[in-house]
């Protein structure tokens, strides 16, 4: 089963009953599977007129009470940012998949890249909370897709599920869990009378309950800065309080949202930071280096946003060096640098449209250990491979 | 006895933020009257509006309301309608919102014939941002972004709707509350995409620069420009120049999208 | 012939539309679903629907597979000259090649075993349809490598092809197996 098919299957298992999308390589197979499967479970599939409309439609469907998904790649992700910001602002749960390809612009449509990890964080304008997950194998893809829906419902916020062309189009052995093994979270409904309902209560709750449209709780949903009732306000205190609550929903619950993998770091003299497809290259390189007696470990964020900074710092602080492996020109490396103060950081970046060959990582690590890579103090040595 | 609007109004949001004499007030009255005529309760409908003066409509009517980003009303409405096909989804948009930035959504919504009632308040201008020209501004009008007069030809909203496949297309104006209510009522009753264009007055940001600076005069001008659909066949073509043909311009029967989807689901489930 | 059990790398290459990517998927599915092993199928497309060189890497192992692309290819299949030219890189020194005898005239053997079989011609002329090429090729690859059991491969093919062309595909697969056996000599 391909990575894209896994996402579709898992979405349905998570309770997704609405898909709106627009054809784009390399994500289109997700739409194809949803088109085939959703009618069977009484769901709705619609191919919209463009990427913007697809994002709008899933927000509309979610307000009506459906768990909703759209999938795209870089150019489409750019177009979705406006409505994605609306979902953040109006606190509408939904899941957006970005199967990353080479950019910028039309870039390398059929080839993998990881150039949208910062766009996932800051793509839409204004301060906003965001959750982004990025698995590295297809069994994990299944679990993280389910988790994406759960987090969206739990925190009333859009969740971005990142993938890349390599993971999207490759197939491997996938352990599909039984439905009984899955925890499915649904949005919390209000337990007060309609006239008592505050859709954006700022005083008592970080994540207020969400009433679906047409269920008797009549309220207003807007992208304008609003008060606890949902109506627009320019009151400075209310504006500040609402945005702070919005950000806190994610930051105060970061421990629940963040997941990462640490592998072989306890005795590692060299640590590697990698995620998504690049983490597979890193794992292969680590296996080879370990076989040669070199102690190398992996730190792999599965939740990219919020970024598990404290865990990273703790896990790699004793290493001689931290290698950051990414299929971009150096994006998460800046986030890594914000946290790591005392460990030299070496970037291994590739934007050719080809996955990073594990040998390239092995070679760089060996060169470093042989003293051939001289590091300026506390500065980043960017190695182009 | 005067009509009681209060059942459908968010009375604590009154008075509205629209300029004194703005046609949108009459449009809101007509929407409420039409909903009442159709027996649509507060929990049976959603009003969705976009950005611009018309965008405020969703703040004032007491039901589940949605105020989308600029031009995006119809995709949100499509998603919402598909999630609850049993409910009424009413979109109130402006000429800039639905014909410019939301133009692509407009034509494709009409093509699908999904059961949404789209009311386009056409005041020939971007009123809220200061009167810039819109896709419906008549040629040779004046606007801050057309200080030497507008160059571009205009869209005919109703022609666009018909060409795109909307199965109910009507035009009315804010100058005739009774007619306007009737057109909206017919739109609400129609199963499929209904487009009701409503000629409205923005005397403040359009009229002021184009010889209609006062509301009553501008509304009169609109009234004088109206020609009823029933009589156009007997009028010479030159008499229609610069006129608004009002009434039901087209009504067709074509399968409605959510009903078709429901049938399709039944078929797929039967086969698998 | 003994093959690497920990990581056996296969690359199928051809022209877009020849079905080589599907062939790769079937091979991986045979290993995963019918032999309980680990396999990864990782295609590379171009930005066109028909024509243009295309390839898929299939890695089969007794252990979980980390890096999903071939780095040292054990077996290389080419059904088009352009795909040979573009993707015949990263071959192991002892790699085995299977090329279409008519469509890939120029091959740098470099001391490697190169098997030639008119795969597309067999599909087109003998069996009556070019789309059977990938089933013929799969049969030959399996005969030459023994990487999965023929019955496992057949089960995977059966699950992927429409019922009405099942019989034709069985013929094509068996024809490939036979041809592969005779190539082995």
């Amino acid at each position: 089963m391909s990575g894209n098919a896994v996402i579709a299957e898992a979405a349905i298992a998570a309770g997704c009953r609405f898909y709106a999308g627009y054809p784009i390589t390399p994500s289109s197979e997700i739409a194809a599977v949803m088109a085939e499967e959703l009618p069977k479970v009484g769901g709705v599939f619609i191919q919209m007129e463009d990427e913007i409309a697809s994002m709008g439609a899933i927000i509309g469907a979610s307000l009506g009470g459906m768990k909703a998904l759209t999938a795209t790649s870089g150019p489409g992700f750019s177009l979705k940012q406006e409505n994605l910001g609306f979902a953040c602002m109006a606190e509408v749960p939904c899941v957006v998949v970005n199967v990353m390809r080479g950019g910028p612009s039309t870039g390398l449509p059929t080839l993998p890249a990881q150039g949208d990890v910062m766009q996932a964080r800051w793509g839409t304008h204004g301060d906003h909370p965001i959750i982004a997950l990025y698995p590295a194998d297809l069994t994990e893809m299944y679990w993280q897709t389910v988790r994406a829906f759960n987090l969206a419902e739990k925190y009333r916020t859009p969740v971005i599920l990142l993938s890349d062309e390599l993971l999207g189009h490759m197939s491997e052995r996938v352990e599909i869990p039984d439905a009984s093994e899955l925890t499915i979270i649904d949005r919390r409904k209000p337990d007060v009378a309609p006239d008592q309902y505050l859709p954006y209560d700022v005083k008592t709750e970080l994540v207020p309950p969400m009433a679906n449209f047409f269920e008797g709780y009549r309220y207003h949903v807007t992208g304008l800065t609003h008060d606890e009732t949902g109506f627009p306000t320019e009151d400075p205190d209310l504006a500040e309080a609402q945005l702070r609550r919005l950000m806190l929903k994610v930051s105060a619950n970061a421990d629940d949202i963040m997941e990462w993998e640490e592998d072989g770091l306890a005795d590692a003299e060299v640590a590697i930071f990698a995620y998504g497809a690049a983490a597979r290259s890193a794992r292969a390189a680590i296996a080879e280096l370990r076989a040669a007696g070199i102690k190398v470990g992996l730190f792999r964020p599965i939740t990219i946003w919020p970024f598990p900074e404290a865990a990273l710092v703790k896990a790699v602080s004793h290493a001689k060096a931290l290698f950051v492996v990414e299929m971009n020109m150096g994006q998460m490396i800046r986030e890594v640098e914000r946290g790591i103060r005392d460990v030299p950081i070496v970037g291994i970046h590739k934007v050719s449209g080809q996955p990073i060959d594990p040998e390239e990582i092995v070679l760089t690590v060996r060169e470093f250990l042989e003293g051939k890579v001289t590091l300026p103090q506390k500065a980043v040595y960017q190695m182009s491979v | 006895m005067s009509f009681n609007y209060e059942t459908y109004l968010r009375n604590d949001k009154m008075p509205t933020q629209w300029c004194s004499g703005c046609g949108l007030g009459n449009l809101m009255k007509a929407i409420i009257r039409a909903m009442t005529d159709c027996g649509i309760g507060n929990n049976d409908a959603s009003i969705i509006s976009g950005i611009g003066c018309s965008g405020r409509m969703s703040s004032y009517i007491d039901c589940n309301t949605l105020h989308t980003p600029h031009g995006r009303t119809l995709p949100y409405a499509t998603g919402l309608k598909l999630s609850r096909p049993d409910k009424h989804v009413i979109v109130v948009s402006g000429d800039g919102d639905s014909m410019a930035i939301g133009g692509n959504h407009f034509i494709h919504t009409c093509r699908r014939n999904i059961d949404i009632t789209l009311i386009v308040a056409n005041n020939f201008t971007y009123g809220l941002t200061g009167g810039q020209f819109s896709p419906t501004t008549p040629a040779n009008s004046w606007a801050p972004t057309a200080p030497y007069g507008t160059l571009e030809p205009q869209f005919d909203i109703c022609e666009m709707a018909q060409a795109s496949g909307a199965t109910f297309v009507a035009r009315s104006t804010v100058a005739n509350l009774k007619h306007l209510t009737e057109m909206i009522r017919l739109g609400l009753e129609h199963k499929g995409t209904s487009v009701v264009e409503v000629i409205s007055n923005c005397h403040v940001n359009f009229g002021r620069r184009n010889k209609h600076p006062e509301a009553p005069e501008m509304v009169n001008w609109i009234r004088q420009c109206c020609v009823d659909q029933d009589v156009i066949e007997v009028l010479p073509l030159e008499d229609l120049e610069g006129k608004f043909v009002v009434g039901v311009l087209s009504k067709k029967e074509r399968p409605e999208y959510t009903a078709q989807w429901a049938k399709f689901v039944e078929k797929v489930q039967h086969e698998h | 012939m003994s093959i690497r059990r920990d990581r056996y790398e296969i690359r199928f290459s051809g022209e877009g539309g020849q079905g080589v990517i599907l062939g790769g998927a079937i091979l991986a599915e045979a290993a995963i679903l019918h032999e309980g092993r680990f396999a990864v199928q990782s295609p590379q497309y171009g930005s066109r629907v028909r024509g243009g060189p295309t390839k898929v890497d299939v890695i089969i192992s007794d252990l979980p597979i980390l890096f999903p692309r071939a780095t040292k290819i054990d077996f290389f299949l080419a059904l088009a000259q352009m795909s040979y030219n573009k993707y015949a890189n990263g071959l192991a020194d002892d790699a085995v090649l299977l090329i279409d005898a008519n469509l890939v005239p120029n091959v740098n053997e470099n001391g490697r075993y190169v098997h030639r079989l008119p795969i597309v011609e067999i599909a087109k002329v003998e069996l009556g349809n070019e789309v059977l090429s990938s089933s013929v090729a799969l049969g030959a690859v399996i005969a030459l490598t023994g990487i999965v059991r023929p019955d496992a491969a057949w089960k995977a093919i059966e699950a992927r092809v429409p019922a009405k062309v099942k019989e034709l595909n069985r013929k094509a697969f068996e024809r490939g197996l036979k041809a592969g056996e005779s190539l082995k000599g």
Side-chain angles (χ1 to χ4, degrees):
Chain A
M1 197 188 287
S2 75
N4 283 344
V6 167
I7 291 176
E9 300 274 344
I12 289 176
C16 174
R17 290 294 178 270
F18 187 91
Y19 181 95
Y22 185 79
I24 185 169
T25 302
S27 79
S28 296
E29 296 82 7
I30 301 175
V33 178
M34 292 307 264
E36 195 171 340
E37 297 302 320
L38 275 172
K40 296 182 192 166
V41 294
V44 180
F45 170 90
I46 186 166
Q47 184 171 306
M48 294 298 286
E49 56 272 19
D50 57 35
E51 296 277 2
I52 298 170
S54 309
M55 188 67 214
I58 68 165
I59 295 171
S62 182
L63 286 167
M66 279 177 154
K67 290 188 187 177
L69 173 73
T70 187
T72 187
S73 187
F77 196 51
S78 293
L79 286 165
K80 287 184 192 303
Q81 295 301 330
E82 170 197 59
N83 283 330
L84 187 67
F86 184 95
C88 293
M89 183 62 147
E91 300 179 63
V92 184
C94 54
V95 176
V96 180
V97 176
N98 177 359
V99 185
M100 288 184 280
R101 67 192 221 187
S105 188
T106 313
L108 297 164
T110 61
L111 300 175
Q114 301 182 313
D116 309 345
V117 288
M118 279 294 160
Q119 188 186 22
R121 178 64 196 90
W122 294 115
T124 196
H125 57 276
D127 290 303
H128 57 277
I130 211 79
I131 297 173
L133 313 175
Y134 193 175
D137 67 64
L138 302 194
T139 300
E140 188 174 79
M141 186 76 83
Y142 192 98
W143 286 96
Q144 292 299 328
T145 302
V146 173
R147 195 161 167 265
F149 281 94
N150 284 346
L151 292 172
E153 293 285 315
K154 189 172 179 182
Y155 295 112
R156 281 188 69 175
T157 193
V159 174
I160 294 159
L161 179 67
L162 292 171
S163 176
D164 50 63
E165 192 276 336
L166 192 69
L167 295 173
H169 281 158
M170 67 175 257
S171 303
E172 66 180 343
R173 196 157 118 176
V174 189
E175 310 290 339
I176 305 266
D178 190 74
S180 63
E181 294 173 57
L182 302 176
T183 305
I184 303 295
I185 299 175
D186 295 319
R187 62 193 66 171
R188 192 160 59 90
K189 300 278 191 73
D191 52 8
V192 295
D195 61 344
Q196 303 291 308
Y197 177 54
L198 292 175
Y200 303 102
D201 186 5
V202 72
K203 292 190 190 69
T204 57
E205 308 200 59
L206 276 182
V207 188
M210 180 174 173
N212 297 330
F213 271 28
F214 309 119
E215 290 181 352
Y217 292 81
R218 297 197 297 274
Y219 64 107
H220 187 56
V221 176
T222 178
L224 285 166
T225 294
H226 42 267
D227 63 17
E228 69 276 13
T229 65
F231 287 94
T233 180
E234 289 176 355
D235 179 295
D237 294 334
L238 292 175
E240 177 104 11
Q242 280 294 346
L243 189 48
R244 285 189 180 278
R245 179 182 62 79
L246 223 53
M247 302 300 281
L248 266 176
K249 278 200 305 186
V250 171
S251 60
N253 291 298
D255 285 345
D256 178 46
I257 299 165
M258 290 186 302
E259 280 189 1
W260 64 89
E261 181 200 352
E262 292 176 27
D263 189 19
L265 284 170
D267 66 343
E269 54 178 324
V270 168
I272 296 179
F273 173 98
Y275 51 89
R280 300 184 74 111
S281 307
R283 277 177 181 160
I286 290 167
E288 189 180 332
L289 287 161
R290 285 235 163 215
I294 300 167
K295 287 174 178 157
V296 188
L298 176 71
F299 186 95
R300 180 175 68 90
I302 300 166
T303 305
I304 298 280
W305 305 112
F307 183 68
E309 182 181 297
L312 171 70
V313 171
K314 193 166 163 234
V316 306
S317 58
H318 61 281
K320 271 194 213 162
L322 175 62
F323 290 76
V324 177
V325 182
E326 303 180 272
M327 288 154 68
N328 55 44
M329 291 292 286
Q331 295 197 13
M332 293 307 282
I333 195 170
R334 299 185 192 286
E335 209 62 26
V336 170
E337 284 173 53
R338 280 155 66 111
I340 306 284
R341 294 272 177 258
D342 305 319
V343 182
I345 298 166
V346 182
I348 298 179
H349 302 289
K350 189 165 182 173
V351 290
S352 66
Q354 295 302 315
I356 297 170
D357 189 324
E359 282 306 313
E360 299 169 31
I361 303 169
V362 168
L363 192 74
T364 311
V365 172
R366 283 186 182 278
E367 282 180 351
F368 170 80
L369 291 172
E370 287 160 13
K372 287 186 194 154
V373 176
T374 45
L375 294 167
Q377 277 218 313
K378 277 194 159 187
V380 174
Y381 179 81
Q382 297 262 353
M383 171 155 286
S384 174
V385 291
Chain B
M1 200 180 85
S2 69
F3 187 88
N4 177 18
Y5 293 98
E6 291 196 359
T7 324
Y8 288 93
L9 274 185
R10 286 172 170 148
N11 294 295
D12 60 328
K13 304 297 172 205
M14 298 295 116
T16 71
Q17 293 185 26
W18 294 315
C19 304
S20 172
C22 175
L24 288 167
N26 253 9
L27 174 56
M28 182 162 70
K29 284 181 172 177
I31 292 170
I32 290 174
R33 282 172 177 257
M35 286 171 75
T36 310
D37 289 349
C38 294
I40 299 171
N42 302 66
N43 292 322
D44 300 329
S46 177
I47 302 272
I48 302 181
S49 65
I51 301 298
C53 293
S54 64
R56 300 201 194 278
M57 193 68 76
S58 59
S59 292
Y60 303 139
I61 297 181
D62 185 18
C63 57
N64 279 110
T65 51
L66 175 56
H67 181 222
T68 76
H70 198 15
R72 312 297 171 221
T73 51
L74 290 167
Y76 285 63
T78 300
L80 184 62
K81 178 71 186 181
L82 281 164
S83 73
R84 287 300 299 269
D86 55 322
K87 299 293 184 181
H88 287 273
V89 174
I90 304 164
V91 172
V92 184
S93 181
D95 41 306
D97 201 55
S98 64
M99 287 289 107
I101 192 166
N104 199 29
H105 310 313
F106 178 92
I107 59 176
H108 288 276
T109 306
C110 294
R111 175 176 63 83
R112 282 186 201 105
N113 196 34
I114 187 168
D115 187 22
I116 289 170
T117 306
L118 168 61
I119 298 164
V120 185
N122 180 9
N123 61 4
F124 315 110
T125 188
Y126 288 90
L128 193 60
T129 47
Q132 297 83 358
F133 68 89
S134 88
T136 62
T137 307
N140 301 314
S141 301
W142 301 90
T145 48
Y148 310 108
T150 50
L151 199 61
E152 299 182 8
Q154 75 239 64
F155 269 143
D156 180 317
I157 297 173
C158 291
E159 275 181 13
M160 183 77 127
Q162 290 177 66
S164 307
T167 45
F168 178 90
V169 180
R171 187 184 286 120
S172 188
T173 77
V174 296
N176 186 334
L177 181 60
K178 194 171 165 216
H179 184 267
L180 178 55
T181 303
E182 180 66 4
M183 292 303 110
I184 295 173
R185 183 182 67 81
L186 291 172
L188 287 173
E189 282 172 359
H190 179 77
K191 287 277 169 234
T193 303
S194 323
V195 176
V196 181
E197 178 188 353
V198 183
I199 307 292
S200 186
N201 61 301
C202 179
H203 48 284
V204 174
N205 267 332
F206 178 74
R208 183 163 52 91
R209 297 185 177 92
N210 294 284
K211 300 179 189 144
H212 306 295
E214 300 297 333
E217 188 280 326
M218 189 168 183
V219 171
N220 262 333
W221 169 74
I222 290 172
R223 190 174 288 129
Q224 283 159 17
C225 289
C226 287
V227 178
D228 199 280
Q229 163 75 4
D230 300 340
V231 300
I232 54 167
E233 278 177 27
V234 298
L235 286 180
L237 268 180
E238 56 267 30
D239 284 15
L240 292 174
E241 189 66 34
K243 301 289 190 197
F244 312 124
V245 177
V246 297
V248 177
L249 305 187
S250 91
K251 182 169 164 62
K252 294 176 199 149
E253 290 305 322
R254 198 154 66 80
E256 189 275 325
Y257 190 85
T258 60
Q260 269 189 306
W261 180 263
K263 269 190 205 160
F264 173 73
V265 164
E266 211 169 285
K267 180 170 163 268
V268 172
Q269 287 183 337
H270 183 73
E271 287 167 3
H272 290 273
Chain C
M1 187 173 79
S2 76
I3 59 168
R4 290 202 280 159
R5 297 286 297 184
D6 62 333
R7 189 178 171 97
Y8 191 77
E9 299 189 351
I10 299 161
R11 176 170 292 172
F12 289 178
S13 76
E15 212 171 293
Q18 281 181 330
V20 296
I21 290 179
L22 177 63
I26 288 171
L27 188 56
E29 282 163 10
I32 297 170
L33 301 174
H34 306 299
E35 293 199 346
R37 302 177 69 197
F38 291 91
V40 164
Q41 177 255 17
S42 183
Q44 185 169 332
Y45 303 88
S47 285
R48 53 197 277 186
V49 176
R50 286 285 178 270
T54 179
K55 63 127 166 147
V56 58
D57 290 349
V58 179
I59 299 155
I60 298 178
S61 171
D62 289 342
L63 305 166
I65 294 150
L66 306 174
F67 187 61
R69 286 277 169 88
T71 53
K72 206 173 150 205
I73 297 163
D74 299 288
F75 189 95
F76 181 79
L77 168 77
L79 295 184
Q81 184 67 49
M82 65 166 125
S83 73
Y84 172 86
N85 297 347
K86 188 161 181 191
Y87 296 123
N89 46 41
L91 300 178
D93 290 341
D94 59 350
V96 175
L97 284 76
L98 172 62
I99 58 161
D100 190 288
N102 300 320
L103 303 176
V104 191
N106 303 317
V107 172
N108 175 9
E109 303 200 359
N110 211 2
R112 296 187 180 95
Y113 280 104
V114 178
H115 299 292
R116 291 179 172 80
L117 187 65
I119 294 167
V120 175
E121 189 185 302
I122 291 173
K124 209 161 150 181
V125 180
E126 211 176 296
L127 301 162
N129 198 333
E130 197 175 343
V131 298
L132 297 165
S133 301
S134 66
S135 286
V136 176
L138 265 176
V141 170
I142 285 159
L144 284 168
T145 61
I147 185 65
V148 294
R149 295 189 317 272
D151 67 298
W154 171 245
K155 275 186 207 158
I157 296 172
E158 223 180 352
R160 280 275 194 164
V161 300
K164 58 181 176 185
V165 291
K166 200 171 108 175
E167 202 40 45
L168 267 178
N169 274 281
R170 197 186 53 77
K171 264 190 194 161
F173 177 62
E174 283 173 0
R175 179 68 179 83
L177 274 175
K178 213 174 93 190
E181 285 300 336
S182 57
L183 284 174
K184 235 165 44 172

